[in-house]
Amino acid sequence: MDTLALYLTAKLALITTAILLFIAMPVAYCCAYFRFPARPYVEALISLPLVMPPTVLGFYLLIVMGPNGGIGRFWEHLTGRRLCFTFTGIVLASLVYSFPFAVQPLKAAFEKIDLRMIESAYVLGCSRLETFYKVIIPNSLGGIIVATILTFAHTMGEFGVVLMVGGSIPGKTKVASIAIYEYVEALRYRDANILSLALAVMSYLVLVVVNVLNQRNKYGS
Amino acid sequence: MALKVKIFKKLKEFDLDISFSCSSGRLLALVGPSGAGKTTIMRLIAGLERPDRGLIACNKSIWTDTEKGIWLPPQKRKLGYVFQEYSLFPHLTVERNIIFAGIDSYEARGLMKLFGILHLRRRRPHQLSGGERQRVALAQALARKPGVLLLDEPFSALDVATRVKLRNDLKSLKNQLSIPVILVTHDLNEARFLSDEILPIEQGKKAPDWLSRFLSTWQSEACTDITWCLSAG
């Protein structure tokens, strides 16, 4: 079994999920609570990876992250290294690809919180930031968990975008889904089957862990 | 300590244009039909909404003065606000809800004793009855050490027996408080029982005639709820 590809997949999913939750929370907060004229355009942009074919998204990412693209050039200038066909490159691509899967559940959870509860926190002296982490976050645990599951699972199964931006370099960018595809191409069905099963079990275990955490965090209804 | 309010705000259906004051230790009841602008007045006092023009001052502190461009956010206005419901934080215990207002656990204990809710301190809001919840909400509002206490229909979601009990408690509490208290209610019985002054409001303005009109209907005694009386003609 290609354990290296499995390890790389888990690493990619974990890093992407951690970074995305951090970035998606303030974005979801702004979309849930601020009314600004450009909001429909910003929201459409956030949701774009949901409807865009992964290969198309991967192609554009390849262009901007390539040595002649804006992000690629900036990265090379900053670190002296290329961004495409590296692990950092596929993390960045995954961040874009999975972004709506983190933002949407968080936004829905934030919108569900009664405005009076937030106003009550303001009247009791809490700033917007304090209200965010003392009231909004603890009352959005369900949404945070859903965002975590979706982002993690979505990144685990990523294929098109990673293939376009990262190629298939063993130990660097060859994640499990790409390894499975290559096994099938080489008619190595047994290896493809083992890796697929491992991926399925891993996904299931993630869901179990998250559900257990969810049960513990429930404070009744 | 006294609260002075003089506000104008253009609303969808009418213009809110009202002025009143309430001195320390007194309770002013704002009464009127639904949609008269009572809750908007409370929100303007709390800083949750901004008036188009006006002045809101508590003692020597100016909270809103549109002429001078002064507007303090709700966080900087020392006031207690009891909402009809939903003001407690469901993820916190009763004790943590009260401490949330910025006091220590020792002070919180004192307040819980005063409101007879010490035995509930480890419970969460969903484990409380409606009456218990509103007691906690009152304790939480007073934990802020407010300069003004705003009560926006605090008893309307409760059953009659609990309502009467809490009303009596609030009456005795009011006598101990040395701050202005503003109460919004539909219930004229409640307003008459609790308040030192009643301010009738209709379409965002003072409506003394409306009250006398209403009171003549109210003489029947069976009619204590304003909305009901109005619909009854």
Side-chain angles (χ1 to χ4, degrees):
Chain A
M1 184 169 66
D2 194 346
T3 46
L4 197 57
L6 262 185
Y7 163 73
L8 208 62
T9 306
K11 191 173 147 191
L12 177 67
L14 271 176
I15 293 175
T16 304
T17 307
I19 299 176
L20 262 191
L21 281 182
F22 192 70
I23 301 171
M25 277 199 198
V27 175
Y29 178 85
C30 291
C31 289
Y33 297 117
F34 291 110
R35 301 278 171 269
F36 50 96
R39 203 176 112 150
Y41 306 99
V42 172
E43 285 189 351
L45 197 66
I46 291 168
S47 303
L48 199 59
L50 283 175
V51 290
M52 223 162 154
T55 42
V56 174
L57 184 66
F59 171 70
Y60 284 125
L61 285 173
L62 184 67
I63 299 296
V64 293
M65 286 162 66
N68 296 321
I71 298 172
R73 258 210 314 266
F74 174 73
W75 183 259
E76 210 167 325
H77 177 74
L78 206 70
T79 62
R81 289 176 195 170
R82 290 204 166 177
L83 196 53
C84 278
F85 308 110
T86 63
F87 183 72
T88 313
I90 59 170
V91 168
L92 198 64
S94 303
L95 290 177
V96 176
Y97 186 48
S98 297
F99 194 53
F101 291 86
V103 174
Q104 299 294 1
L106 288 175
K107 183 178 161 248
F110 294 166
E111 278 172 342
K112 245 174 39 185
I113 292 178
D114 198 292
L115 203 60
R116 275 168 291 189
M117 200 165 32
I118 294 170
E119 289 182 339
S120 179
Y122 291 163
V123 171
L124 290 168
C126 284
S127 65
R128 271 184 182 272
L129 185 66
E130 282 174 314
T131 305
F132 182 63
Y133 67 81
K134 284 184 177 176
V135 178
I136 297 174
I137 293 287
N139 286 292
S140 308
L141 288 180
I144 294 170
I145 287 167
V146 172
T148 310
I149 296 174
L150 285 181
T151 310
F152 192 89
H154 194 245
T155 313
M156 286 247 293
E158 211 173 299
F159 179 75
V161 174
V162 174
L163 190 66
M164 294 293 273
V165 174
S168 174
I169 306 167
K172 274 190 177 177
T173 61
K174 190 178 171 184
V175 292
S177 54
I178 294 173
I180 292 166
Y181 175 73
E182 287 183 354
Y183 281 139
V184 174
E185 282 272 278
L187 301 176
R188 289 167 63 184
Y189 286 124
R190 192 174 167 276
D191 290 327
N193 195 11
I194 293 171
L195 201 53
S196 299
L197 193 67
L199 213 57
V201 171
M202 234 163 97
S203 307
Y204 177 73
L205 287 178
V206 169
L207 284 177
V208 169
V209 170
V210 169
N211 280 340
V212 169
L213 286 177
N214 197 13
Q215 286 278 313
R216 278 194 201 161
N217 280 322
K218 262 190 187 160
Y219 42 81
S221 54
Chain B
M1 218 179 277
L3 176 75
K4 284 182 189 157
V5 177
K6 184 175 189 333
I7 39 175
F8 175 86
K9 187 175 172 72
K10 216 165 179 48
L11 302 178
K12 260 186 192 169
E13 316 246 316
F14 53 82
D15 293 346
L16 180 71
D17 188 0
I18 203 157
S19 63
F20 59 86
S21 63
C22 181
S23 47
S24 300
R26 288 178 70 82
L27 192 148
L28 172 72
L30 307 181
V31 293
S34 293
K38 306 184 296 291
T39 296
T40 308
I41 294 170
M42 302 290 254
R43 292 176 59 79
L44 287 164
I45 296 171
L48 296 168
E49 283 184 39
R50 288 178 189 243
D52 297 333
R53 292 197 301 270
L55 174 95
I56 299 168
C58 179
N59 210 18
K60 283 177 184 164
S61 159
I62 295 172
W63 289 351
T64 303
D65 186 344
T66 49
E67 261 182 30
K68 290 182 183 162
I70 299 171
W71 186 81
L72 290 188
Q75 291 88 345
K76 299 228 167 119
R77 304 178 181 208
K78 274 268 178 186
L79 58 88
Y81 197 154
V82 178
F83 298 80
Q84 191 175 329
E85 43 189 339
Y86 299 116
S87 66
L88 296 177
F89 305 112
H91 63 295
L92 298 177
T93 60
V94 165
E95 188 172 19
R96 302 303 308 176
N97 257 289
I98 294 168
I99 288 174
F100 193 96
I103 57 170
D104 58 33
S105 54
Y106 179 77
E107 284 177 290
R109 237 162 218 274
L111 267 173
M112 285 188 286
K113 263 188 201 161
L114 178 72
F115 284 92
I117 50 172
L118 189 61
H119 62 291
L120 306 170
R121 67 186 180 280
R122 289 190 210 289
R123 292 205 195 155
R124 292 222 158 89
H126 73 271
Q127 296 169 311
L128 304 176
S129 69
E132 287 168 342
R133 264 204 287 267
Q134 286 311 68
R135 273 173 206 277
V136 178
L138 262 172
Q140 187 191 52
L142 291 176
R144 177 95 170 116
K145 302 185 177 98
V148 176
L149 182 61
L150 305 178
L151 308 170
D152 191 354
E153 300 193 45
F155 312 130
S156 62
L158 306 176
D159 60 82
V160 178
T162 317
R163 203 171 171 157
V164 169
K165 171 118 187 46
L166 268 179
R167 207 185 269 177
N168 290 330
D169 290 354
L170 182 62
K171 176 115 180 165
S172 61
L173 176 75
K174 190 206 90 182
N175 297 329
Q176 296 170 47
L177 292 174
S178 52
I179 54 169
V181 182
I182 313 288
L183 169 77
V184 161
T185 182
H186 271 115
D187 189 334
L188 249 187
N189 262 340
E190 197 166 277
R192 279 161 58 110
F193 179 72
L194 286 168
S195 69
D196 301 294
E197 196 183 335
I198 293 178
L199 179 61
I201 298 171
E202 195 179 21
Q203 298 266 301
K205 292 171 190 68
K206 282 181 190 171
D209 297 348
W210 175 83
L211 187 63
S212 52
R213 261 186 287 131
F214 171 76
L215 282 174
S216 60
T217 321
W218 187 68
Q219 294 304 322
S220 67
E221 295 262 331
C223 181
T224 56
D225 186 286
I226 288 170
T227 318
W228 186 86
C229 280
L230 284 178
S231 60

